Amino acid sequence: LFAIAACWFVLATLGAALSWALAREMGFNAGAPWAAVLFVVGIGPLGGTLNTEVPAMVAAAAAVLVWCRASRLTTLPVGIGVLVGMLAGIAFMCRQNAGAVWPVLVAAELALAWSGRRTARQAATGAVAITGGFLVVVAVVVTPYWATGALGEFWFCFYAYNTDIYVAATRVTVPRLLASPWIGARNFLLPSWTVGTLGLVGVLLSLSGRLRSRDERGDRLPAMLAITAAAVVLAASLFLGLRLFSHYFALVLPLWAALGGAAVESVGRGARKLLGRNAVLAVGVVVAVSLGAEIQRDPWTATARRLVGWARDGGVAEISDPMRWPGRDARAAATARYIREHSSA
C-alpha cells in the first residue's frame, strides 16, 4: 500500500512537470506554471488513484515532449526516435488506447517533410525509428506469453475482455452511441471544470490558428500542432470501449493542462491589448478563484499524510497484516487481532 501511494505521488509529480514542459515547448513560458497548477488540481477528480491511465499518461506525454524537442533539429537521431517509440509503446502496454499516440507522432514526423523542415528521407527514417521503438516494447511484453503458450490468455486480458464480455453484455444502441459525446463531455470535462474548460479553449484556439506564442519564427509550431493532435486523438480514443469513466481522461491530462496553460497566457495577452493591463489581472483572478474552489478535492495532501503516517508507524503496511492497513477502525482491528491470535488453534 505504501508503494502504491508512493508510485502515484511520483507519477503525478512527473505529470505536473510534463504539463509545465509541454507548455514551454509550445512557447508559452508565462502559461507553463498555469499548466502545472491545472494538472495538480485536475489529477484529483480525474486520476486520484493508481489506475493504468496514470503511468500511461506519463509515458505518452513524455513521448510527445521528446519528439517536440527533437522536431527543431535538422534530423531526428535514430536513438531519440527509438526512445520516442518506446515511450509510446510503454503507454500502449499500460493502456490500450494510449497507443494512439504512436501514429500521431509518426504522422507529425512525416509532416515535417511536407513542411520542408526535413527531407523526405530524413522524415521516413525518423518514422521508422519511432515505429521500431514502439514494436520493441510490444515484443518484450508479448514474447514471454507467446513462448509459454499463454498468448490467448494475454489477448483476452489485453483486448478481448472488453469486447467479448463488457460490450457484448451491454446494449450498444443508436441512442447510446448518440449520447456518448454528451456523456463523455460530462464525465471528462466537468469533474475538473478549470482544466476541462481551459484545455478545451486551448484546443479550439490551436485548431483555429489563434493560439500564438511569442515565438515569431514559428519554430514552436510543429510542437503546438503535435501536442494538439495528440490531445484530440487520445481524447477521441477514450470513446472506443464505450466505458466513459471519469478516470479515463487522466490519460490526456498533461496535454490538456498544457493547452489550458497556453490558453491562459494567450487570452490574457489578447485581453491586455483590448482592455489594458488590468484585464490580465482579472483573467488571473478568475482562474485562481476557480482553481481554489476545486482544491478541496485535491488528493496530494492526503497521500502525503498517508506516506508520512506509514513511515512513522513502522514502515510499509503489509497486505497480510490487516491491523496495519490505513483507515482501519477499532472493531476491524480487534477482529483481525482475534483471528491472528487464534489462527494457530
Short mmCIF file of all heavy atoms in Angstrom, two decimals, residues 95 97 162-163 166-181 183-184 187-188 235-246 248:
data_model
loop_
_atom_site.label_atom_id
_atom_site.label_comp_id
_atom_site.label_asym_id
_atom_site.label_seq_id
_atom_site.Cartn_x
_atom_site.Cartn_y
_atom_site.Cartn_z
N ARG A 95 -2.06 1.08 -21.20
CA ARG A 95 -3.45 1.42 -21.53
C ARG A 95 -3.61 1.32 -23.03
O ARG A 95 -2.96 2.07 -23.78
CB ARG A 95 -3.75 2.83 -21.04
CG ARG A 95 -5.17 3.25 -21.20
CD ARG A 95 -6.05 2.55 -20.21
NE ARG A 95 -7.45 2.75 -20.53
CZ ARG A 95 -8.43 2.03 -20.01
NH1 ARG A 95 -8.14 1.08 -19.14
NH2 ARG A 95 -9.68 2.25 -20.32
N ASN A 97 -5.69 2.14 -25.52
CA ASN A 97 -5.96 3.25 -26.43
C ASN A 97 -4.88 4.32 -26.39
O ASN A 97 -4.82 5.19 -27.26
CB ASN A 97 -7.32 3.87 -26.12
CG ASN A 97 -7.44 4.30 -24.67
OD1 ASN A 97 -7.34 3.47 -23.77
ND2 ASN A 97 -7.68 5.58 -24.43
N ASN A 162 -12.87 -6.73 -22.92
CA ASN A 162 -13.77 -5.60 -23.12
C ASN A 162 -14.77 -5.87 -24.25
O ASN A 162 -15.97 -5.59 -24.12
CB ASN A 162 -12.98 -4.33 -23.44
CG ASN A 162 -13.87 -3.11 -23.49
OD1 ASN A 162 -14.42 -2.68 -22.50
ND2 ASN A 162 -14.02 -2.55 -24.68
N THR A 163 -14.28 -6.46 -25.35
CA THR A 163 -15.17 -6.67 -26.50
C THR A 163 -16.09 -7.87 -26.30
O THR A 163 -17.27 -7.82 -26.66
CB THR A 163 -14.34 -6.86 -27.77
OG1 THR A 163 -13.46 -7.98 -27.58
CG2 THR A 163 -13.53 -5.63 -28.09
N TYR A 166 -17.69 -7.19 -21.74
CA TYR A 166 -18.36 -5.95 -21.36
C TYR A 166 -19.27 -5.44 -22.46
O TYR A 166 -20.46 -5.21 -22.26
CB TYR A 166 -17.34 -4.87 -20.98
CG TYR A 166 -18.02 -3.59 -20.59
CD1 TYR A 166 -18.52 -3.41 -19.31
CD2 TYR A 166 -18.20 -2.56 -21.53
CE1 TYR A 166 -19.17 -2.24 -18.96
CE2 TYR A 166 -18.86 -1.40 -21.19
CZ TYR A 166 -19.34 -1.25 -19.91
OH TYR A 166 -20.01 -0.09 -19.57
N VAL A 167 -18.69 -5.24 -23.66
CA VAL A 167 -19.50 -4.69 -24.75
C VAL A 167 -20.60 -5.67 -25.15
O VAL A 167 -21.73 -5.28 -25.43
CB VAL A 167 -18.61 -4.34 -25.95
CG1 VAL A 167 -19.45 -3.89 -27.13
CG2 VAL A 167 -17.61 -3.26 -25.57
N ALA A 168 -20.28 -6.98 -25.14
CA ALA A 168 -21.27 -7.98 -25.51
C ALA A 168 -22.40 -8.06 -24.50
O ALA A 168 -23.55 -8.40 -24.86
CB ALA A 168 -20.60 -9.35 -25.65
N ALA A 169 -22.11 -7.74 -23.25
CA ALA A 169 -23.13 -7.84 -22.20
C ALA A 169 -23.97 -6.57 -22.07
O ALA A 169 -24.97 -6.57 -21.35
CB ALA A 169 -22.48 -8.15 -20.87
N THR A 170 -23.58 -5.52 -22.73
CA THR A 170 -24.35 -4.27 -22.66
C THR A 170 -24.97 -4.01 -24.02
O THR A 170 -24.47 -4.44 -25.06
CB THR A 170 -23.43 -3.09 -22.28
OG1 THR A 170 -22.37 -2.99 -23.23
CG2 THR A 170 -22.84 -3.30 -20.89
N ARG A 171 -26.02 -3.26 -23.99
CA ARG A 171 -26.74 -2.97 -25.24
C ARG A 171 -26.13 -1.76 -25.92
O ARG A 171 -26.22 -0.64 -25.43
CB ARG A 171 -28.22 -2.72 -24.93
CG ARG A 171 -28.93 -3.93 -24.33
CD ARG A 171 -30.40 -3.63 -24.10
NE ARG A 171 -31.08 -3.35 -25.37
CZ ARG A 171 -32.34 -2.91 -25.45
NH1 ARG A 171 -33.03 -2.69 -24.34
NH2 ARG A 171 -32.88 -2.67 -26.62
N VAL A 172 -25.50 -1.99 -27.06
CA VAL A 172 -24.93 -0.91 -27.85
C VAL A 172 -25.99 -0.46 -28.84
O VAL A 172 -26.12 -1.01 -29.93
CB VAL A 172 -23.65 -1.36 -28.57
CG1 VAL A 172 -23.03 -0.18 -29.33
CG2 VAL A 172 -22.65 -1.93 -27.58
N THR A 173 -26.77 0.52 -28.43
CA THR A 173 -27.87 1.01 -29.24
C THR A 173 -27.52 2.34 -29.89
O THR A 173 -26.57 3.02 -29.48
CB THR A 173 -29.13 1.18 -28.38
OG1 THR A 173 -28.85 2.15 -27.35
CG2 THR A 173 -29.51 -0.14 -27.72
N VAL A 174 -28.32 2.71 -30.88
CA VAL A 174 -28.10 4.00 -31.53
C VAL A 174 -28.25 5.16 -30.55
O VAL A 174 -27.43 6.08 -30.54
CB VAL A 174 -29.07 4.16 -32.73
CG1 VAL A 174 -28.99 5.58 -33.30
CG2 VAL A 174 -28.73 3.14 -33.81
N PRO A 175 -29.29 5.16 -29.68
CA PRO A 175 -29.36 6.26 -28.69
C PRO A 175 -28.14 6.32 -27.78
O PRO A 175 -27.70 7.41 -27.43
CB PRO A 175 -30.63 5.91 -27.89
CG PRO A 175 -31.47 5.12 -28.83
CD PRO A 175 -30.49 4.31 -29.64
N ARG A 176 -27.60 5.16 -27.40
CA ARG A 176 -26.41 5.17 -26.55
C ARG A 176 -25.22 5.77 -27.28
O ARG A 176 -24.45 6.54 -26.70
CB ARG A 176 -26.09 3.75 -26.09
CG ARG A 176 -24.87 3.65 -25.19
CD ARG A 176 -24.57 2.22 -24.84
NE ARG A 176 -23.34 2.11 -24.06
CZ ARG A 176 -22.76 0.96 -23.75
NH1 ARG A 176 -23.29 -0.18 -24.15
NH2 ARG A 176 -21.65 0.94 -23.04
N LEU A 177 -25.05 5.42 -28.54
CA LEU A 177 -23.94 5.97 -29.32
C LEU A 177 -24.10 7.48 -29.51
O LEU A 177 -23.14 8.24 -29.42
CB LEU A 177 -23.84 5.27 -30.66
CG LEU A 177 -23.45 3.78 -30.63
CD1 LEU A 177 -23.53 3.19 -32.04
CD2 LEU A 177 -22.05 3.61 -30.05
N LEU A 178 -25.35 7.91 -29.77
CA LEU A 178 -25.59 9.34 -29.96
C LEU A 178 -25.37 10.13 -28.67
O LEU A 178 -24.98 11.30 -28.71
CB LEU A 178 -27.01 9.56 -30.48
CG LEU A 178 -27.31 9.03 -31.89
CD1 LEU A 178 -28.77 9.24 -32.25
CD2 LEU A 178 -26.40 9.71 -32.92
N ALA A 179 -25.64 9.49 -27.54
CA ALA A 179 -25.49 10.17 -26.25
C ALA A 179 -24.05 10.18 -25.75
O ALA A 179 -23.72 10.92 -24.82
CB ALA A 179 -26.39 9.52 -25.20
N SER A 180 -23.18 9.35 -26.35
CA SER A 180 -21.82 9.22 -25.83
C SER A 180 -21.02 10.53 -25.84
O SER A 180 -20.25 10.76 -24.90
CB SER A 180 -21.06 8.12 -26.60
OG SER A 180 -20.96 8.43 -27.97
N PRO A 181 -21.16 11.42 -26.85
CA PRO A 181 -20.40 12.68 -26.75
C PRO A 181 -20.79 13.50 -25.52
O PRO A 181 -19.91 14.05 -24.85
CB PRO A 181 -20.77 13.41 -28.05
CG PRO A 181 -21.13 12.32 -29.00
CD PRO A 181 -21.81 11.28 -28.16
N ILE A 183 -22.14 12.31 -22.72
CA ILE A 183 -21.69 11.58 -21.52
C ILE A 183 -20.19 11.78 -21.33
O ILE A 183 -19.71 11.99 -20.21
CB ILE A 183 -22.04 10.09 -21.64
CG1 ILE A 183 -23.55 9.90 -21.69
CG2 ILE A 183 -21.45 9.30 -20.47
CD1 ILE A 183 -23.99 8.48 -21.98
N GLY A 184 -19.44 11.71 -22.44
CA GLY A 184 -18.01 11.92 -22.35
C GLY A 184 -17.67 13.32 -21.88
O GLY A 184 -16.80 13.50 -21.02
N ASN A 187 -18.45 13.52 -18.16
CA ASN A 187 -17.55 12.74 -17.30
C ASN A 187 -16.10 13.19 -17.38
O ASN A 187 -15.34 12.98 -16.42
CB ASN A 187 -17.64 11.25 -17.66
CG ASN A 187 -18.98 10.65 -17.28
OD1 ASN A 187 -19.81 11.30 -16.63
ND2 ASN A 187 -19.22 9.43 -17.70
N PHE A 188 -15.70 13.76 -18.52
CA PHE A 188 -14.30 14.12 -18.70
C PHE A 188 -14.04 15.59 -18.38
O PHE A 188 -13.01 15.92 -17.77
CB PHE A 188 -13.85 13.84 -20.12
CG PHE A 188 -13.97 12.39 -20.53
CD1 PHE A 188 -14.13 12.03 -21.85
CD2 PHE A 188 -13.92 11.39 -19.58
CE1 PHE A 188 -14.23 10.70 -22.22
CE2 PHE A 188 -14.04 10.06 -19.93
CZ PHE A 188 -14.19 9.72 -21.26
N ALA A 235 -8.06 11.91 -26.67
CA ALA A 235 -9.40 12.13 -26.12
C ALA A 235 -10.45 11.36 -26.91
O ALA A 235 -11.36 10.76 -26.33
CB ALA A 235 -9.72 13.63 -26.10
N ALA A 236 -10.33 11.35 -28.23
CA ALA A 236 -11.28 10.60 -29.05
C ALA A 236 -11.16 9.10 -28.80
O ALA A 236 -12.16 8.37 -28.83
CB ALA A 236 -11.04 10.91 -30.53
N SER A 237 -9.94 8.63 -28.52
CA SER A 237 -9.74 7.19 -28.31
C SER A 237 -10.42 6.70 -27.03
O SER A 237 -10.66 5.49 -26.88
CB SER A 237 -8.24 6.87 -28.22
OG SER A 237 -7.68 7.29 -26.98
N LEU A 238 -10.75 7.60 -26.13
CA LEU A 238 -11.41 7.20 -24.88
C LEU A 238 -12.80 6.64 -25.12
O LEU A 238 -13.34 5.93 -24.28
CB LEU A 238 -11.50 8.40 -23.92
CG LEU A 238 -10.18 9.09 -23.56
CD1 LEU A 238 -10.45 10.30 -22.68
CD2 LEU A 238 -9.24 8.13 -22.85
N PHE A 239 -13.38 6.94 -26.28
CA PHE A 239 -14.74 6.51 -26.57
C PHE A 239 -14.80 5.10 -27.16
O PHE A 239 -15.89 4.55 -27.30
CB PHE A 239 -15.40 7.50 -27.55
CG PHE A 239 -15.67 8.85 -26.95
CD1 PHE A 239 -14.67 9.81 -26.91
CD2 PHE A 239 -16.91 9.17 -26.43
CE1 PHE A 239 -14.89 11.06 -26.36
CE2 PHE A 239 -17.16 10.42 -25.88
CZ PHE A 239 -16.15 11.37 -25.84
N LEU A 240 -13.66 4.52 -27.51
CA LEU A 240 -13.67 3.25 -28.24
C LEU A 240 -14.29 2.11 -27.44
O LEU A 240 -14.99 1.27 -28.00
CB LEU A 240 -12.23 2.88 -28.65
CG LEU A 240 -11.56 3.83 -29.64
CD1 LEU A 240 -10.13 3.40 -29.90
CD2 LEU A 240 -12.35 3.88 -30.95
N GLY A 241 -14.03 2.06 -26.14
CA GLY A 241 -14.56 0.96 -25.34
C GLY A 241 -15.95 1.17 -24.80
O GLY A 241 -16.51 0.27 -24.15
N LEU A 242 -16.53 2.35 -25.05
CA LEU A 242 -17.89 2.69 -24.57
C LEU A 242 -18.00 2.58 -23.05
O LEU A 242 -19.07 2.31 -22.52
CB LEU A 242 -18.93 1.80 -25.24
CG LEU A 242 -19.06 1.93 -26.76
CD1 LEU A 242 -20.09 0.96 -27.30
CD2 LEU A 242 -19.44 3.37 -27.13
N ARG A 243 -16.90 2.80 -22.35
CA ARG A 243 -16.92 2.80 -20.89
C ARG A 243 -16.34 4.14 -20.46
O ARG A 243 -15.14 4.28 -20.24
CB ARG A 243 -16.10 1.64 -20.33
CG ARG A 243 -16.53 0.29 -20.85
CD ARG A 243 -15.57 -0.80 -20.42
NE ARG A 243 -15.61 -1.03 -18.98
CZ ARG A 243 -14.81 -1.88 -18.34
NH1 ARG A 243 -13.91 -2.56 -19.02
NH2 ARG A 243 -14.92 -2.05 -17.04
N LEU A 244 -17.20 5.13 -20.35
CA LEU A 244 -16.75 6.52 -20.23
C LEU A 244 -16.61 6.92 -18.77
O LEU A 244 -17.27 7.85 -18.29
CB LEU A 244 -17.72 7.43 -20.98
CG LEU A 244 -17.94 7.06 -22.45
CD1 LEU A 244 -18.97 7.97 -23.10
CD2 LEU A 244 -16.63 7.11 -23.22
N PHE A 245 -15.72 6.26 -18.04
CA PHE A 245 -15.46 6.61 -16.66
C PHE A 245 -14.57 7.86 -16.61
O PHE A 245 -13.71 8.06 -17.47
CB PHE A 245 -14.79 5.46 -15.91
CG PHE A 245 -15.60 4.20 -15.91
CD1 PHE A 245 -15.09 3.03 -16.43
CD2 PHE A 245 -16.88 4.20 -15.38
CE1 PHE A 245 -15.83 1.86 -16.43
CE2 PHE A 245 -17.63 3.03 -15.38
CZ PHE A 245 -17.12 1.86 -15.90
N SER A 246 -14.75 8.66 -15.56
CA SER A 246 -14.02 9.93 -15.47
C SER A 246 -12.51 9.73 -15.43
O SER A 246 -11.75 10.53 -15.99
CB SER A 246 -14.47 10.70 -14.22
OG SER A 246 -15.83 11.08 -14.34
N TYR A 248 -10.70 7.82 -17.01
CA TYR A 248 -10.10 7.62 -18.33
C TYR A 248 -9.40 8.89 -18.83
O TYR A 248 -8.40 8.83 -19.54
CB TYR A 248 -11.15 7.19 -19.35
CG TYR A 248 -11.61 5.76 -19.24
CD1 TYR A 248 -11.23 4.96 -18.17
CD2 TYR A 248 -12.42 5.19 -20.20
CE1 TYR A 248 -11.65 3.64 -18.07
CE2 TYR A 248 -12.84 3.86 -20.12
CZ TYR A 248 -12.45 3.10 -19.05
OH TYR A 248 -12.87 1.80 -18.95
#
